[in-house]
Amino acid sequence: MAGKRRILSRGVAIVGAGMSTFGVFKEKTTRDLFVEAFSEMRNSVDKGMEVSDIEALYVGNFSSDLFEGQLHLAPIMADWIGLIPKPANWIGLIPKPATRVEDACASGGLAIRDALIAISAGFYDVVLVGGTEKMTNLPTERVTDTLAAASDVLYEAPAGFTFPGLYAAIATAYMEKYGATVEHFMGVGIKNHDNGALNPKAQFKATIRDLMNRKIAKAKEKESALPTWKDEWDFLKDGHANPIVAWPVRLYDCSPITDGAACLLLVAEELAKNFTDEPIYIIGTGQGSGCAMHNRDNVTSLEGAKAAAEEAYQMAGVSPQDIKIAEVHDCFTIAEIMASEDLGFFKPGEGARAVEEGRTSLKGTKPINTSGGLKAKGHPIGASGVGQVIEIWKQMRGEAGERQVPDVDLALTHNVGATGGTCVVHIYERR
Amino acid sequence: MMELREFNSTSFNKFLSEKRLMASQCKGCKSMYLPPRPLCTRCYDGEMEWIELKGKGILVAYTVIAVGPTFMIEEGYDRKNHYCSGIVQLEEGLKISARILGVSIKNPNAIKIGTPLEVDFLERGEGENKKTFLAFRKRD
């Protein structure tokens, strides 16, 4: 029903959070990554937890079927972390329900929302949420095909559109409409790599300048011709160093292909203090959908993201101005700019300038993607939406180290499936 | 017998192989759908019928792709030989994704949103594997 106001019937809190390092791990599978994330989550619970307290598991995963040939992932994840006890007749221990959630790159965010709704409804009290993806064992061409399967395969794919290609089309429309330039997109990449360099769990623990200097050092070592880049902007404009993937999207505008997993423990609000004195409360959730890009009235905004944001803001009773930091879905640099507008942080067309003015950088008025974002932290598809919340957890508890933003008491995550087919927004509060 | 064709992708592609760009239209409320759909999601009432589009439109969003999907690589495109994909707005007001031909692939910055286009049909493969892809070509 239009305009229906949804509420959380019961409050929900995060009491534990953990992630694997994001990166390229040829020998590891989804289950190995998931166990790492789970173990860190378990250790993060201040007052400790019993695995037997977990009543259910929701795990986000995009395509273990195509990446690993493994369908039906959820019970395996449940088994690997001890939710299916053996021997089965241990008194009081029962095999726990486990559900895989797949909505492309929003799988992780949707797993959180499903768990949240179940706890809020009173069905469960303690739920484990996870996300896991193992991508790097396929060659890039096969990864491209797998990602393209999240678009409309009947009508978008035959036009030759790839996933970067669809976002590139958004970028050309945005440039035309608002006069933005490729430098604005590059600015997002530089900022997110600056943040990622401060995140020990990031795939790229390096600024763009670091990456540039590494290439120069390599050229010196090989005694080949030395590149003549003046600075990182010069480096990003070099077609050899930063090749076009789908114009205007270049390599450093794209999030990488990543292996990784993340885990959260969600509990009913009244139980939160049994686990920690510093829980993080989820006070708003919103979800929206979108059609194929060619059927949208406006291709420079995601209707689903705007609807999700509106629902979440309304539920939380807060406005975009109140949000201290946000982790948004920067699968491509243009996506972060568009997100910052869809979420109401900046007016349509002003997101690009906000990046240029440093308003979204770590020391800006509205820091976005302090973790490095999908761009630098990495984008293990089904884990990304959960990984975003790990950063919020750290920032809100003052555990974000060198990238700590002072006094984060209200934060937001924005997780998008493909080109906006699925959008989910959550709002978090520290009390 | 065009009237008997189901309102789905199989029929849409069959029409493409006959060099016709077809949409579906609700007989009741006259809403048009491209890609064609079997159900009018505006009035939920009317039956559909096929309408042929004039095939003239403008470019509203585009990209020039260097790293393509497998089927485009098999067509000979790669990191050195790029192609253009885009969204086209037709004179009838409908939009569709398509390959874009006759534009400056080597200088993508010079491709203009708003470029006038007309429909073209790209035939690929032989015999049973023959398939027709929707394309639009720059109109002078």
Side-chain angles (χ1 to χ4, degrees), chain A residues 102-295:
Chain A
E102 189 275 301
D103 285 288
C105 325
S107 302
L110 266 284
I112 297 168
R113 184 170 151 99
D114 284 353
L116 179 78
I117 290 171
I119 295 172
S120 175
F123 201 89
Y124 299 126
D125 294 326
V126 181
V127 178
L128 180 68
V129 178
T132 184
E133 204 77 55
K134 163 72 209 184
M135 301 176 72
T136 64
N137 282 18
L138 284 188
T140 301
E141 295 75 19
R142 294 271 308 283
V143 174
T144 301
D145 289 347
T146 302
L147 295 176
S151 68
D152 182 335
V153 297
L154 294 179
Y155 295 107
E156 289 179 323
F161 270 126
T162 55
F163 202 51
L166 286 162
Y167 272 96
I170 292 175
T172 57
Y174 187 95
M175 290 161 86
E176 167 75 12
K177 194 169 176 182
Y178 300 120
T181 64
V182 291
E183 283 83 358
H184 289 116
F185 307 143
M186 290 171 180
V188 173
I190 290 172
K191 169 184 75 73
N192 289 355
H193 272 270
D194 283 349
N195 294 347
L198 306 176
N199 185 349
K201 291 292 184 75
Q203 180 164 359
F204 293 105
K205 292 176 267 291
T207 65
I208 299 277
R209 193 176 273 269
D210 292 338
L211 296 172
M212 176 183 92
N213 289 336
R214 276 181 212 167
K215 293 211 175 183
I216 294 172
K218 211 175 233 176
K220 266 186 196 154
E221 204 177 291
K222 281 191 190 158
E223 293 177 359
S224 54
L226 282 188
T228 54
W229 307 305
K230 290 195 300 283
D231 55 21
E232 61 260 61
W233 295 93
D234 214 24
F235 170 77
L236 290 177
K237 286 173 195 167
D238 178 343
H240 291 286
N242 188 18
I244 304 250
V245 174
W247 193 89
V249 169
R250 291 170 180 264
L251 181 65
Y252 285 101
D253 290 303
C254 304
S255 54
I257 296 165
T258 307
D259 305 324
C263 253
L264 300 172
L265 191 64
L266 264 54
V267 305
E269 186 174 308
E270 66 267 24
L271 302 177
K273 293 284 167 77
N274 298 345
F275 294 90
T276 174
D277 291 329
E278 291 180 279
I280 303 302
Y281 298 91
I282 308 181
I283 58 170
T285 180
Q287 183 183 349
S289 305
C291 59
M293 255 171 64
H294 51 233
N295 286 134

Side-chain angles (χ1 to χ4, degrees), chain A residues 64-79:
Chain A
S64 54
D65 9 349
L66 295 172
F67 289 132
E68 293 180 298
Q70 176 68 65
L71 270 160
H72 201 183
L73 196 72
I76 297 173
M77 298 303 112
D79 186 19

Side-chain angles (χ1 to χ4, degrees), chain A residues 364-405:
Chain A
T365 49
K366 188 74 82 180
I368 290 181
N369 287 331
T370 56
S371 68
L374 312 186
K375 173 69 204 79
K377 186 173 63 176
H379 186 15
I381 311 282
S384 292
V386 183
Q388 292 176 324
V389 190
I390 307 299
E391 179 68 7
I392 300 299
W393 164 268
K394 287 195 177 297
Q395 288 281 355
M396 286 193 136
R397 288 165 48 103
E399 297 169 358
E402 286 181 85
R403 60 185 196 286
Q404 182 68 49
V405 174

Side-chain angles (χ1 to χ4, degrees), chain A residues 10-142:
Chain A
R10 180 161 73 143
V12 177
I14 305 167
V15 297
M19 66 185 279
S20 74
T21 301
F22 283 5
V24 178
F25 307 107
K26 292 288 180 197
E27 312 79 30
K28 291 180 184 173
T29 65
T30 42
R31 65 187 84 179
D32 304 319
L33 297 160
F34 190 69
V35 166
E36 279 178 41
F38 174 76
S39 301
E40 189 182 274
M41 183 286 295
R42 217 172 138 237
N43 290 329
S44 78
V45 181
D46 296 327
K47 298 181 186 175
M49 63 164 288
E50 296 296 328
V51 175
S52 58
D53 290 340
I54 298 169
E55 293 171 273
L57 165 68
Y58 291 88
V59 59
N61 173 262
F62 168 52
S63 192
S64 54
D65 9 349
L66 295 172
F67 289 132
E68 293 180 298
Q70 176 68 65
L71 270 160
H72 201 183
L73 196 72
I76 297 173
M77 298 303 112
D79 186 19
W80 243 244
I81 58 166
L83 295 183
I84 304 176
K86 289 176 260 321
N89 61 357
W90 282 356
I91 293 162
L93 294 184
I94 56 161
K96 303 298 166 61
T99 307
R100 171 184 165 187
V101 179
E102 189 275 301
D103 285 288
C105 325
S107 302
L110 266 284
I112 297 168
R113 184 170 151 99
D114 284 353
L116 179 78
I117 290 171
I119 295 172
S120 175
F123 201 89
Y124 299 126
D125 294 326
V126 181
V127 178
L128 180 68
V129 178
T132 184
E133 204 77 55
K134 163 72 209 184
M135 301 176 72
T136 64
N137 282 18
L138 284 188
T140 301
E141 295 75 19
R142 294 271 308 283

